[in-house]
Amino acid sequence: MEQINNGKTELTIFFWNIGKKDLTDSLNALLTENPMDVLIFSEANISIRESLNESLVPLGYKSRTPLKGAVRVSIFDRLPNVIYCRVDQYQTFVIYEFHGVKLLVVGIHLLSPISAPIDDRYVDATKQNENIERIETEWGINKTIVIGDFNMNPFDRGMISEKAFKATHCKQTALSNKSKKPYYFNPSWKAFANDLTLESNNAPPGTIHFVPRNKDSDVNFWHVFDQVLIRSKLFSELSDRYQILFKWNEHFLLTDNLIPNRISYSDHLPIKYTITFQEN
């Protein structure tokens, strides 16, 4: 966590669905080049979490989730003042306090499209967001970040519906909300503008790539399942800093065909989000 001018704090959060692989070596290389404050992982079994813990503790990180047992979303951080932590089936909640400001960080990994059709994922999204809103109300929090594998695209019903996450790509819409249920702002939409053919902004236009069975009628092969949502109270001139990571040091996470290298790494690409917020 970096202190910057005018009482502002800059926080970096990393998420990776590591696909049940021990990717500790590549992660260490990334953190050497690009240290981050909060690290969130899904599909990390017990042995992987123990390996991560062994590697991350010397770097100043602490596991906020059990190393044993069933944990769908695990969180490591190097931040002080954790005042609440809870592990649910599809989400892990951590509340941090910085100089009187409570910040809720939610790591999430929702139902897979392999096992649940889109309508079922919509229904589940409504339930998961209700859990978040319940904690916000209980703790009086209006600064929330939700990050992880939603297993939906930003335009899917479970993301944009008033009854589900109510996440918009427009900050002005989020700010002009007049109902009791607040919006999330979703900066992940910007990933669709990425272009692998360019020398600049050449990140992939998604975090996961797969060819559907109906490929003759559906050519949407890239998907932005790994997203970040923030409440409007966290808005700043820097709140669009959502990145898809695909290369660092000697690690290149794509194949020769420029799709995720699921053999050496994961079928998901990691994401990084940097947020700047004003302290009280």
Side-chain angles (χ1 to χ4, degrees):
M1 184 172 62
E2 182 180 352
Q3 299 291 324
I4 55 180
N5 294 333
N6 301 320
K8 293 182 179 179
T9 296
E10 185 172 279
L11 184 74
T12 54
I13 305 177
F14 172 87
F15 172 80
W16 199 0
N17 179 335
I18 56 177
K20 301 178 183 177
K21 292 187 175 68
D22 188 346
L23 300 174
T24 302
D25 289 343
S26 58
L27 180 65
N28 283 344
L30 172 63
L31 294 175
T32 300
E33 177 183 292
N34 191 357
M36 287 171 277
D37 299 305
V38 181
L39 310 175
I40 305 178
F41 304 95
S42 66
E43 295 195 13
N45 59 29
I46 293 174
S47 63
I48 293 173
R49 295 200 301 273
E50 289 177 339
S51 177
L52 287 168
N53 188 65
E54 183 178 351
S55 173
L56 292 172
V57 165
L59 299 179
Y61 293 91
K62 180 176 181 179
S63 177
R64 299 299 178 183
T65 45
L67 299 179
K68 303 290 186 180
V71 177
R72 188 173 175 90
V73 181
S74 53
I75 296 182
F76 294 80
D77 66 47
R78 54 177 190 173
L79 301 177
N81 304 326
V82 171
I83 60 176
Y84 178 82
C85 184
R86 190 178 96 196
V87 178
D88 280 0
Q89 184 176 3
Y90 297 105
Q91 301 179 91
T92 295
F93 308 87
V94 180
I95 299 176
Y96 302 94
E97 187 168 28
F98 308 115
H99 304 283
V101 177
K102 292 186 181 69
L103 175 69
L104 172 60
V105 174
V106 184
I108 198 165
H109 184 187
L110 299 185
L111 294 174
S112 168
I114 296 175
S115 58
I118 191 64
D119 288 344
D120 290 353
R121 282 177 279 154
Y122 162 70
V123 172
D124 184 62
T126 65
K127 295 177 182 177
Q128 302 308 323
N129 188 58
E130 286 171 359
N131 291 337
I132 298 171
E133 291 179 339
R134 194 175 298 116
I135 291 177
E136 288 177 321
T137 300
E138 179 182 346
W139 286 85
I141 292 175
N142 59 14
K143 294 180 174 67
T144 300
I145 300 173
V146 188
I147 185 171
D149 180 359
F150 290 81
N151 272 314
M152 292 179 285
N153 277 299
F155 50 76
D156 282 329
R157 186 182 175 202
M159 301 303 300
I160 62 175
S161 170
E162 170 86 20
K163 294 182 178 180
F165 284 104
K166 193 180 178 180
T168 176
H169 64 296
C170 176
K171 287 183 180 178
Q172 181 57 36
T173 298
L175 288 170
S176 62
N177 180 55
K178 296 181 180 179
S179 68
K180 292 183 179 180
K181 183 182 175 72
Y183 282 93
Y184 288 103
F185 169 62
N186 187 350
S188 318
W189 281 84
K190 65 181 293 186
F192 291 117
N194 292 344
D195 188 342
L196 284 165
T197 68
L198 299 178
E199 292 185 8
S200 61
N201 192 33
N202 65 340
T207 60
I208 185 170
H209 181 282
F210 61 86
V211 179
R213 292 179 180 177
N214 60 332
K215 61 182 180 181
D216 291 337
S217 59
D218 186 347
V219 295
N220 184 29
F221 301 156
W222 279 104
H223 302 267
V224 184
F225 283 180
D226 305 272
Q227 304 176 52
V228 60
L229 312 179
I230 68 169
R231 293 298 194 196
S232 61
K233 291 295 184 180
L234 286 169
F235 281 0
S236 76
E237 68 277 7
L238 302 175
S239 53
D240 291 323
R241 290 193 291 173
Y242 165 93
Q243 295 175 264
I244 298 173
L245 305 182
F246 65 103
K247 58 181 178 180
W248 58 84
N249 292 343
E250 73 278 12
H251 296 278
F252 188 68
L253 277 57
L254 305 179
T255 66
D256 292 341
N257 294 324
L258 299 181
I259 62 175
N261 185 341
R262 63 180 64 208
I263 303 301
S264 300
Y265 298 98
S266 170
D267 56 342
H268 287 255
L269 297 172
I271 60 174
K272 174 187 174 183
Y273 187 64
T274 305
I275 186 75
T276 302
F277 62 95
Q278 183 76 40
E279 300 171 359
N280 286 344

PDB file of all heavy atoms in Angstrom, residues 146-181:
ATOM      1  N   VAL A 146     -15.269  -5.691  -5.331  1.00  0.00           N
ATOM      2  CA  VAL A 146     -15.532  -7.115  -5.573  1.00  0.00           C
ATOM      3  C   VAL A 146     -14.688  -7.537  -6.763  1.00  0.00           C
ATOM      4  O   VAL A 146     -14.778  -6.937  -7.838  1.00  0.00           O
ATOM      5  CB  VAL A 146     -17.024  -7.373  -5.863  1.00  0.00           C
ATOM      6  CG1 VAL A 146     -17.297  -8.873  -5.912  1.00  0.00           C
ATOM      7  CG2 VAL A 146     -17.908  -6.702  -4.814  1.00  0.00           C
ATOM      8  N   ILE A 147     -13.872  -8.557  -6.587  1.00  0.00           N
ATOM      9  CA  ILE A 147     -12.948  -8.955  -7.649  1.00  0.00           C
ATOM     10  C   ILE A 147     -12.872 -10.478  -7.715  1.00  0.00           C
ATOM     11  O   ILE A 147     -12.901 -11.160  -6.689  1.00  0.00           O
ATOM     12  CB  ILE A 147     -11.547  -8.341  -7.415  1.00  0.00           C
ATOM     13  CG1 ILE A 147     -10.604  -8.659  -8.588  1.00  0.00           C
ATOM     14  CG2 ILE A 147     -10.962  -8.773  -6.084  1.00  0.00           C
ATOM     15  CD1 ILE A 147      -9.271  -7.886  -8.517  1.00  0.00           C
ATOM     16  N   GLY A 148     -12.816 -11.001  -8.942  1.00  0.00           N
ATOM     17  CA  GLY A 148     -12.676 -12.447  -9.079  1.00  0.00           C
ATOM     18  C   GLY A 148     -13.259 -12.978 -10.375  1.00  0.00           C
ATOM     19  O   GLY A 148     -13.452 -12.249 -11.344  1.00  0.00           O
ATOM     20  N   ASP A 149     -13.543 -14.268 -10.351  1.00  0.00           N
ATOM     21  CA  ASP A 149     -14.067 -14.991 -11.508  1.00  0.00           C
ATOM     22  C   ASP A 149     -15.581 -15.081 -11.367  1.00  0.00           C
ATOM     23  O   ASP A 149     -16.092 -15.921 -10.635  1.00  0.00           O
ATOM     24  CB  ASP A 149     -13.420 -16.378 -11.572  1.00  0.00           C
ATOM     25  CG  ASP A 149     -13.901 -17.201 -12.753  1.00  0.00           C
ATOM     26  OD1 ASP A 149     -14.748 -16.707 -13.528  1.00  0.00           O
ATOM     27  OD2 ASP A 149     -13.439 -18.354 -12.895  1.00  0.00           O
ATOM     28  N   PHE A 150     -16.284 -14.209 -12.092  1.00  0.00           N
ATOM     29  CA  PHE A 150     -17.740 -14.189 -12.028  1.00  0.00           C
ATOM     30  C   PHE A 150     -18.364 -15.251 -12.935  1.00  0.00           C
ATOM     31  O   PHE A 150     -19.560 -15.509 -12.854  1.00  0.00           O
ATOM     32  CB  PHE A 150     -18.262 -12.810 -12.426  1.00  0.00           C
ATOM     33  CG  PHE A 150     -17.978 -11.732 -11.422  1.00  0.00           C
ATOM     34  CD1 PHE A 150     -16.734 -11.109 -11.365  1.00  0.00           C
ATOM     35  CD2 PHE A 150     -18.948 -11.332 -10.522  1.00  0.00           C
ATOM     36  CE1 PHE A 150     -16.460 -10.112 -10.447  1.00  0.00           C
ATOM     37  CE2 PHE A 150     -18.698 -10.327  -9.589  1.00  0.00           C
ATOM     38  CZ  PHE A 150     -17.451  -9.723  -9.554  1.00  0.00           C
ATOM     39  N   ASN A 151     -17.574 -15.825 -13.825  1.00  0.00           N
ATOM     40  CA  ASN A 151     -18.075 -16.790 -14.810  1.00  0.00           C
ATOM     41  C   ASN A 151     -19.244 -16.222 -15.622  1.00  0.00           C
ATOM     42  O   ASN A 151     -20.147 -16.939 -16.057  1.00  0.00           O
ATOM     43  CB  ASN A 151     -18.463 -18.103 -14.138  1.00  0.00           C
ATOM     44  CG  ASN A 151     -17.279 -19.056 -14.036  1.00  0.00           C
ATOM     45  OD1 ASN A 151     -16.541 -19.238 -15.003  1.00  0.00           O
ATOM     46  ND2 ASN A 151     -17.091 -19.658 -12.874  1.00  0.00           N
ATOM     47  N   MET A 152     -19.200 -14.916 -15.805  1.00  0.00           N
ATOM     48  CA  MET A 152     -20.133 -14.204 -16.671  1.00  0.00           C
ATOM     49  C   MET A 152     -19.359 -13.072 -17.314  1.00  0.00           C
ATOM     50  O   MET A 152     -18.337 -12.616 -16.791  1.00  0.00           O
ATOM     51  CB  MET A 152     -21.317 -13.626 -15.881  1.00  0.00           C
ATOM     52  CG  MET A 152     -22.262 -14.663 -15.308  1.00  0.00           C
ATOM     53  SD  MET A 152     -23.625 -13.918 -14.345  1.00  0.00           S
ATOM     54  CE  MET A 152     -22.743 -13.450 -12.849  1.00  0.00           C
ATOM     55  N   ASN A 153     -19.848 -12.610 -18.465  1.00  0.00           N
ATOM     56  CA  ASN A 153     -19.289 -11.420 -19.092  1.00  0.00           C
ATOM     57  C   ASN A 153     -19.914 -10.165 -18.475  1.00  0.00           C
ATOM     58  O   ASN A 153     -20.998 -10.234 -17.877  1.00  0.00           O
ATOM     59  CB  ASN A 153     -19.548 -11.441 -20.598  1.00  0.00           C
ATOM     60  CG  ASN A 153     -18.525 -12.274 -21.349  1.00  0.00           C
ATOM     61  OD1 ASN A 153     -17.328 -11.983 -21.316  1.00  0.00           O
ATOM     62  ND2 ASN A 153     -18.994 -13.311 -22.033  1.00  0.00           N
ATOM     63  N   PRO A 154     -19.257  -9.006 -18.605  1.00  0.00           N
ATOM     64  CA  PRO A 154     -19.815  -7.779 -18.026  1.00  0.00           C
ATOM     65  C   PRO A 154     -21.208  -7.432 -18.515  1.00  0.00           C
ATOM     66  O   PRO A 154     -21.947  -6.731 -17.817  1.00  0.00           O
ATOM     67  CB  PRO A 154     -18.804  -6.705 -18.459  1.00  0.00           C
ATOM     68  CG  PRO A 154     -17.522  -7.436 -18.631  1.00  0.00           C
ATOM     69  CD  PRO A 154     -17.912  -8.788 -19.175  1.00  0.00           C
ATOM     70  N   PHE A 155     -21.576  -7.908 -19.717  1.00  0.00           N
ATOM     71  CA  PHE A 155     -22.888  -7.580 -20.282  1.00  0.00           C
ATOM     72  C   PHE A 155     -23.952  -8.612 -19.940  1.00  0.00           C
ATOM     73  O   PHE A 155     -25.113  -8.448 -20.313  1.00  0.00           O
ATOM     74  CB  PHE A 155     -22.791  -7.424 -21.801  1.00  0.00           C
ATOM     75  CG  PHE A 155     -22.087  -8.566 -22.496  1.00  0.00           C
ATOM     76  CD1 PHE A 155     -22.707  -9.787 -22.707  1.00  0.00           C
ATOM     77  CD2 PHE A 155     -20.773  -8.420 -22.920  1.00  0.00           C
ATOM     78  CE1 PHE A 155     -22.056 -10.831 -23.344  1.00  0.00           C
ATOM     79  CE2 PHE A 155     -20.101  -9.456 -23.566  1.00  0.00           C
ATOM     80  CZ  PHE A 155     -20.751 -10.671 -23.770  1.00  0.00           C
ATOM     81  N   ASP A 156     -23.609  -9.676 -19.245  1.00  0.00           N
ATOM     82  CA  ASP A 156     -24.593 -10.710 -18.919  1.00  0.00           C
ATOM     83  C   ASP A 156     -25.561 -10.219 -17.838  1.00  0.00           C
ATOM     84  O   ASP A 156     -25.249  -9.342 -17.026  1.00  0.00           O
ATOM     85  CB  ASP A 156     -23.895 -11.987 -18.455  1.00  0.00           C
ATOM     86  CG  ASP A 156     -23.322 -12.788 -19.612  1.00  0.00           C
ATOM     87  OD1 ASP A 156     -23.912 -12.729 -20.710  1.00  0.00           O
ATOM     88  OD2 ASP A 156     -22.296 -13.465 -19.430  1.00  0.00           O
ATOM     89  N   ARG A 157     -26.732 -10.828 -17.826  1.00  0.00           N
ATOM     90  CA  ARG A 157     -27.820 -10.373 -16.959  1.00  0.00           C
ATOM     91  C   ARG A 157     -27.430 -10.367 -15.479  1.00  0.00           C
ATOM     92  O   ARG A 157     -27.801  -9.454 -14.725  1.00  0.00           O
ATOM     93  CB  ARG A 157     -29.028 -11.289 -17.191  1.00  0.00           C
ATOM     94  CG  ARG A 157     -30.296 -10.880 -16.476  1.00  0.00           C
ATOM     95  CD  ARG A 157     -31.384 -11.889 -16.753  1.00  0.00           C
ATOM     96  NE  ARG A 157     -32.614 -11.618 -16.007  1.00  0.00           N
ATOM     97  CZ  ARG A 157     -33.523 -12.541 -15.740  1.00  0.00           C
ATOM     98  NH1 ARG A 157     -33.340 -13.791 -16.160  1.00  0.00           N
ATOM     99  NH2 ARG A 157     -34.614 -12.232 -15.061  1.00  0.00           N
ATOM    100  N   GLY A 158     -26.665 -11.377 -15.067  1.00  0.00           N
ATOM    101  CA  GLY A 158     -26.270 -11.447 -13.664  1.00  0.00           C
ATOM    102  C   GLY A 158     -25.376 -10.307 -13.229  1.00  0.00           C
ATOM    103  O   GLY A 158     -25.267 -10.010 -12.043  1.00  0.00           O
ATOM    104  N   MET A 159     -24.731  -9.641 -14.195  1.00  0.00           N
ATOM    105  CA  MET A 159     -23.859  -8.514 -13.877  1.00  0.00           C
ATOM    106  C   MET A 159     -24.616  -7.181 -13.915  1.00  0.00           C
ATOM    107  O   MET A 159     -24.364  -6.300 -13.098  1.00  0.00           O
ATOM    108  CB  MET A 159     -22.681  -8.458 -14.853  1.00  0.00           C
ATOM    109  CG  MET A 159     -21.810  -9.705 -14.854  1.00  0.00           C
ATOM    110  SD  MET A 159     -21.123 -10.145 -13.237  1.00  0.00           S
ATOM    111  CE  MET A 159     -20.179  -8.683 -12.850  1.00  0.00           C
ATOM    112  N   ILE A 160     -25.531  -7.019 -14.872  1.00  0.00           N
ATOM    113  CA  ILE A 160     -26.137  -5.697 -15.097  1.00  0.00           C
ATOM    114  C   ILE A 160     -27.543  -5.549 -14.529  1.00  0.00           C
ATOM    115  O   ILE A 160     -28.056  -4.436 -14.448  1.00  0.00           O
ATOM    116  CB  ILE A 160     -26.160  -5.362 -16.604  1.00  0.00           C
ATOM    117  CG1 ILE A 160     -27.024  -6.369 -17.371  1.00  0.00           C
ATOM    118  CG2 ILE A 160     -24.743  -5.341 -17.170  1.00  0.00           C
ATOM    119  CD1 ILE A 160     -27.203  -6.037 -18.854  1.00  0.00           C
ATOM    120  N   SER A 161     -28.169  -6.644 -14.112  1.00  0.00           N
ATOM    121  CA  SER A 161     -29.549  -6.556 -13.638  1.00  0.00           C
ATOM    122  C   SER A 161     -29.645  -5.805 -12.315  1.00  0.00           C
ATOM    123  O   SER A 161     -28.793  -5.924 -11.439  1.00  0.00           O
ATOM    124  CB  SER A 161     -30.121  -7.969 -13.454  1.00  0.00           C
ATOM    125  OG  SER A 161     -31.370  -7.922 -12.790  1.00  0.00           O
ATOM    126  N   GLU A 162     -30.727  -5.054 -12.182  1.00  0.00           N
ATOM    127  CA  GLU A 162     -31.038  -4.362 -10.923  1.00  0.00           C
ATOM    128  C   GLU A 162     -31.131  -5.357  -9.768  1.00  0.00           C
ATOM    129  O   GLU A 162     -30.763  -5.045  -8.629  1.00  0.00           O
ATOM    130  CB  GLU A 162     -32.380  -3.628 -11.077  1.00  0.00           C
ATOM    131  CG  GLU A 162     -32.958  -3.049  -9.803  1.00  0.00           C
ATOM    132  CD  GLU A 162     -32.433  -1.663  -9.488  1.00  0.00           C
ATOM    133  OE1 GLU A 162     -31.934  -0.991 -10.403  1.00  0.00           O
ATOM    134  OE2 GLU A 162     -32.547  -1.260  -8.316  1.00  0.00           O
ATOM    135  N   LYS A 163     -31.580  -6.578 -10.045  1.00  0.00           N
ATOM    136  CA  LYS A 163     -31.756  -7.570  -8.985  1.00  0.00           C
ATOM    137  C   LYS A 163     -30.474  -8.325  -8.661  1.00  0.00           C
ATOM    138  O   LYS A 163     -30.426  -9.032  -7.657  1.00  0.00           O
ATOM    139  CB  LYS A 163     -32.853  -8.550  -9.387  1.00  0.00           C
ATOM    140  CG  LYS A 163     -34.232  -7.927  -9.496  1.00  0.00           C
ATOM    141  CD  LYS A 163     -35.284  -8.962  -9.838  1.00  0.00           C
ATOM    142  CE  LYS A 163     -36.675  -8.335  -9.907  1.00  0.00           C
ATOM    143  NZ  LYS A 163     -37.730  -9.332 -10.251  1.00  0.00           N
ATOM    144  N   ALA A 164     -29.464  -8.178  -9.503  1.00  0.00           N
ATOM    145  CA  ALA A 164     -28.205  -8.883  -9.262  1.00  0.00           C
ATOM    146  C   ALA A 164     -27.131  -7.868  -8.876  1.00  0.00           C
ATOM    147  O   ALA A 164     -27.310  -7.104  -7.931  1.00  0.00           O
ATOM    148  CB  ALA A 164     -27.818  -9.712 -10.488  1.00  0.00           C
ATOM    149  N   PHE A 165     -26.015  -7.810  -9.607  1.00  0.00           N
ATOM    150  CA  PHE A 165     -24.935  -6.917  -9.197  1.00  0.00           C
ATOM    151  C   PHE A 165     -25.162  -5.447  -9.582  1.00  0.00           C
ATOM    152  O   PHE A 165     -24.539  -4.560  -9.021  1.00  0.00           O
ATOM    153  CB  PHE A 165     -23.601  -7.403  -9.775  1.00  0.00           C
ATOM    154  CG  PHE A 165     -23.048  -8.591  -9.043  1.00  0.00           C
ATOM    155  CD1 PHE A 165     -23.120  -9.855  -9.590  1.00  0.00           C
ATOM    156  CD2 PHE A 165     -22.463  -8.439  -7.794  1.00  0.00           C
ATOM    157  CE1 PHE A 165     -22.616 -10.956  -8.906  1.00  0.00           C
ATOM    158  CE2 PHE A 165     -21.951  -9.523  -7.101  1.00  0.00           C
ATOM    159  CZ  PHE A 165     -22.032 -10.792  -7.657  1.00  0.00           C
ATOM    160  N   LYS A 166     -26.021  -5.202 -10.560  1.00  0.00           N
ATOM    161  CA  LYS A 166     -26.317  -3.830 -10.969  1.00  0.00           C
ATOM    162  C   LYS A 166     -25.020  -3.067 -11.253  1.00  0.00           C
ATOM    163  O   LYS A 166     -24.744  -2.010 -10.703  1.00  0.00           O
ATOM    164  CB  LYS A 166     -27.134  -3.109  -9.888  1.00  0.00           C
ATOM    165  CG  LYS A 166     -27.760  -1.793 -10.354  1.00  0.00           C
ATOM    166  CD  LYS A 166     -28.558  -1.136  -9.241  1.00  0.00           C
ATOM    167  CE  LYS A 166     -29.137   0.196  -9.691  1.00  0.00           C
ATOM    168  NZ  LYS A 166     -29.924   0.856  -8.619  1.00  0.00           N
ATOM    169  N   ALA A 167     -24.202  -3.645 -12.137  1.00  0.00           N
ATOM    170  CA  ALA A 167     -22.887  -3.084 -12.449  1.00  0.00           C
ATOM    171  C   ALA A 167     -22.910  -2.423 -13.819  1.00  0.00           C
ATOM    172  O   ALA A 167     -23.268  -3.054 -14.818  1.00  0.00           O
ATOM    173  CB  ALA A 167     -21.831  -4.183 -12.419  1.00  0.00           C
ATOM    174  N   THR A 168     -22.519  -1.174 -13.878  1.00  0.00           N
ATOM    175  CA  THR A 168     -22.528  -0.396 -15.107  1.00  0.00           C
ATOM    176  C   THR A 168     -21.110  -0.026 -15.524  1.00  0.00           C
ATOM    177  O   THR A 168     -20.209   0.061 -14.691  1.00  0.00           O
ATOM    178  CB  THR A 168     -23.352   0.899 -14.926  1.00  0.00           C
ATOM    179  OG1 THR A 168     -23.272   1.691 -16.116  1.00  0.00           O
ATOM    180  CG2 THR A 168     -22.835   1.725 -13.760  1.00  0.00           C
ATOM    181  N   HIS A 169     -20.944   0.217 -16.827  1.00  0.00           N
ATOM    182  CA  HIS A 169     -19.647   0.671 -17.328  1.00  0.00           C
ATOM    183  C   HIS A 169     -19.572   2.196 -17.352  1.00  0.00           C
ATOM    184  O   HIS A 169     -18.563   2.753 -17.780  1.00  0.00           O
ATOM    185  CB  HIS A 169     -19.391   0.117 -18.731  1.00  0.00           C
ATOM    186  CG  HIS A 169     -20.350   0.616 -19.765  1.00  0.00           C
ATOM    187  ND1 HIS A 169     -21.683   0.326 -19.719  1.00  0.00           N
ATOM    188  CD2 HIS A 169     -20.170   1.375 -20.872  1.00  0.00           C
ATOM    189  CE1 HIS A 169     -22.288   0.885 -20.754  1.00  0.00           C
ATOM    190  NE2 HIS A 169     -21.393   1.533 -21.472  1.00  0.00           N
ATOM    191  N   CYS A 170     -20.619   2.865 -16.886  1.00  0.00           N
ATOM    192  CA  CYS A 170     -20.698   4.326 -16.934  1.00  0.00           C
ATOM    193  C   CYS A 170     -20.656   4.902 -15.517  1.00  0.00           C
ATOM    194  O   CYS A 170     -21.568   4.655 -14.711  1.00  0.00           O
ATOM    195  CB  CYS A 170     -21.979   4.763 -17.644  1.00  0.00           C
ATOM    196  SG  CYS A 170     -22.244   6.544 -17.653  1.00  0.00           S
ATOM    197  N   LYS A 171     -19.625   5.678 -15.233  1.00  0.00           N
ATOM    198  CA  LYS A 171     -19.511   6.286 -13.905  1.00  0.00           C
ATOM    199  C   LYS A 171     -20.662   7.245 -13.621  1.00  0.00           C
ATOM    200  O   LYS A 171     -21.182   7.297 -12.500  1.00  0.00           O
ATOM    201  CB  LYS A 171     -18.185   7.033 -13.785  1.00  0.00           C
ATOM    202  CG  LYS A 171     -16.965   6.153 -13.657  1.00  0.00           C
ATOM    203  CD  LYS A 171     -15.728   7.008 -13.475  1.00  0.00           C
ATOM    204  CE  LYS A 171     -14.490   6.149 -13.357  1.00  0.00           C
ATOM    205  NZ  LYS A 171     -13.267   6.973 -13.221  1.00  0.00           N
ATOM    206  N   GLN A 172     -21.072   8.016 -14.625  1.00  0.00           N
ATOM    207  CA  GLN A 172     -22.133   8.990 -14.418  1.00  0.00           C
ATOM    208  C   GLN A 172     -23.432   8.291 -14.032  1.00  0.00           C
ATOM    209  O   GLN A 172     -24.185   8.779 -13.186  1.00  0.00           O
ATOM    210  CB  GLN A 172     -22.338   9.838 -15.677  1.00  0.00           C
ATOM    211  CG  GLN A 172     -23.418  10.894 -15.552  1.00  0.00           C
ATOM    212  CD  GLN A 172     -23.166  11.857 -14.396  1.00  0.00           C
ATOM    213  OE1 GLN A 172     -22.031  12.209 -14.109  1.00  0.00           O
ATOM    214  NE2 GLN A 172     -24.234  12.271 -13.726  1.00  0.00           N
ATOM    215  N   THR A 173     -23.702   7.154 -14.641  1.00  0.00           N
ATOM    216  CA  THR A 173     -24.892   6.388 -14.275  1.00  0.00           C
ATOM    217  C   THR A 173     -24.833   5.976 -12.815  1.00  0.00           C
ATOM    218  O   THR A 173     -25.820   6.087 -12.075  1.00  0.00           O
ATOM    219  CB  THR A 173     -25.017   5.142 -15.167  1.00  0.00           C
ATOM    220  OG1 THR A 173     -25.160   5.552 -16.530  1.00  0.00           O
ATOM    221  CG2 THR A 173     -26.222   4.303 -14.773  1.00  0.00           C
ATOM    222  N   ALA A 174     -23.676   5.490 -12.397  1.00  0.00           N
ATOM    223  CA  ALA A 174     -23.515   5.063 -11.003  1.00  0.00           C
ATOM    224  C   ALA A 174     -23.694   6.230 -10.036  1.00  0.00           C
ATOM    225  O   ALA A 174     -24.293   6.083  -8.971  1.00  0.00           O
ATOM    226  CB  ALA A 174     -22.149   4.425 -10.815  1.00  0.00           C
ATOM    227  N   LEU A 175     -23.193   7.396 -10.420  1.00  0.00           N
ATOM    228  CA  LEU A 175     -23.284   8.570  -9.548  1.00  0.00           C
ATOM    229  C   LEU A 175     -24.697   9.139  -9.478  1.00  0.00           C
ATOM    230  O   LEU A 175     -25.085   9.743  -8.477  1.00  0.00           O
ATOM    231  CB  LEU A 175     -22.323   9.657 -10.046  1.00  0.00           C
ATOM    232  CG  LEU A 175     -20.836   9.398  -9.819  1.00  0.00           C
ATOM    233  CD1 LEU A 175     -19.994  10.421 -10.575  1.00  0.00           C
ATOM    234  CD2 LEU A 175     -20.494   9.424  -8.344  1.00  0.00           C
ATOM    235  N   SER A 176     -25.467   8.935 -10.536  1.00  0.00           N
ATOM    236  CA  SER A 176     -26.804   9.531 -10.593  1.00  0.00           C
ATOM    237  C   SER A 176     -27.887   8.621 -10.032  1.00  0.00           C
ATOM    238  O   SER A 176     -29.069   8.898 -10.178  1.00  0.00           O
ATOM    239  CB  SER A 176     -27.150   9.891 -12.044  1.00  0.00           C
ATOM    240  OG  SER A 176     -27.166   8.717 -12.851  1.00  0.00           O
ATOM    241  N   ASN A 177     -27.503   7.559  -9.377  1.00  0.00           N
ATOM    242  CA  ASN A 177     -28.448   6.593  -8.829  1.00  0.00           C
ATOM    243  C   ASN A 177     -29.413   7.254  -7.837  1.00  0.00           C
ATOM    244  O   ASN A 177     -28.992   7.994  -6.945  1.00  0.00           O
ATOM    245  CB  ASN A 177     -27.681   5.469  -8.118  1.00  0.00           C
ATOM    246  CG  ASN A 177     -28.613   4.435  -7.527  1.00  0.00           C
ATOM    247  OD1 ASN A 177     -29.445   3.880  -8.219  1.00  0.00           O
ATOM    248  ND2 ASN A 177     -28.474   4.198  -6.233  1.00  0.00           N
ATOM    249  N   LYS A 178     -30.700   6.996  -8.002  1.00  0.00           N
ATOM    250  CA  LYS A 178     -31.711   7.566  -7.106  1.00  0.00           C
ATOM    251  C   LYS A 178     -32.469   6.501  -6.327  1.00  0.00           C
ATOM    252  O   LYS A 178     -33.366   6.821  -5.541  1.00  0.00           O
ATOM    253  CB  LYS A 178     -32.692   8.412  -7.927  1.00  0.00           C
ATOM    254  CG  LYS A 178     -32.046   9.628  -8.592  1.00  0.00           C
ATOM    255  CD  LYS A 178     -33.060  10.447  -9.365  1.00  0.00           C
ATOM    256  CE  LYS A 178     -32.388  11.651 -10.017  1.00  0.00           C
ATOM    257  NZ  LYS A 178     -33.352  12.472 -10.799  1.00  0.00           N
ATOM    258  N   SER A 179     -32.130   5.242  -6.530  1.00  0.00           N
ATOM    259  CA  SER A 179     -32.816   4.167  -5.811  1.00  0.00           C
ATOM    260  C   SER A 179     -32.008   3.778  -4.575  1.00  0.00           C
ATOM    261  O   SER A 179     -30.853   4.186  -4.393  1.00  0.00           O
ATOM    262  CB  SER A 179     -33.008   2.961  -6.724  1.00  0.00           C
ATOM    263  OG  SER A 179     -31.755   2.367  -7.034  1.00  0.00           O
ATOM    264  N   LYS A 180     -32.597   2.969  -3.717  1.00  0.00           N
ATOM    265  CA  LYS A 180     -31.912   2.528  -2.497  1.00  0.00           C
ATOM    266  C   LYS A 180     -30.758   1.579  -2.815  1.00  0.00           C
ATOM    267  O   LYS A 180     -29.777   1.528  -2.088  1.00  0.00           O
ATOM    268  CB  LYS A 180     -32.914   1.850  -1.562  1.00  0.00           C
ATOM    269  CG  LYS A 180     -33.948   2.790  -0.964  1.00  0.00           C
ATOM    270  CD  LYS A 180     -34.867   2.051   0.004  1.00  0.00           C
ATOM    271  CE  LYS A 180     -35.881   2.994   0.629  1.00  0.00           C
ATOM    272  NZ  LYS A 180     -36.789   2.291   1.582  1.00  0.00           N
ATOM    273  N   LYS A 181     -30.905   0.825  -3.889  1.00  0.00           N
ATOM    274  CA  LYS A 181     -29.859  -0.143  -4.247  1.00  0.00           C
ATOM    275  C   LYS A 181     -28.774   0.558  -5.063  1.00  0.00           C
ATOM    276  O   LYS A 181     -29.046   1.055  -6.159  1.00  0.00           O
ATOM    277  CB  LYS A 181     -30.454  -1.295  -5.056  1.00  0.00           C
ATOM    278  CG  LYS A 181     -29.460  -2.397  -5.421  1.00  0.00           C
ATOM    279  CD  LYS A 181     -30.149  -3.467  -6.264  1.00  0.00           C
ATOM    280  CE  LYS A 181     -29.168  -4.529  -6.752  1.00  0.00           C
ATOM    281  NZ  LYS A 181     -28.720  -5.406  -5.673  1.00  0.00           N
TER     282      LYS A 181
END
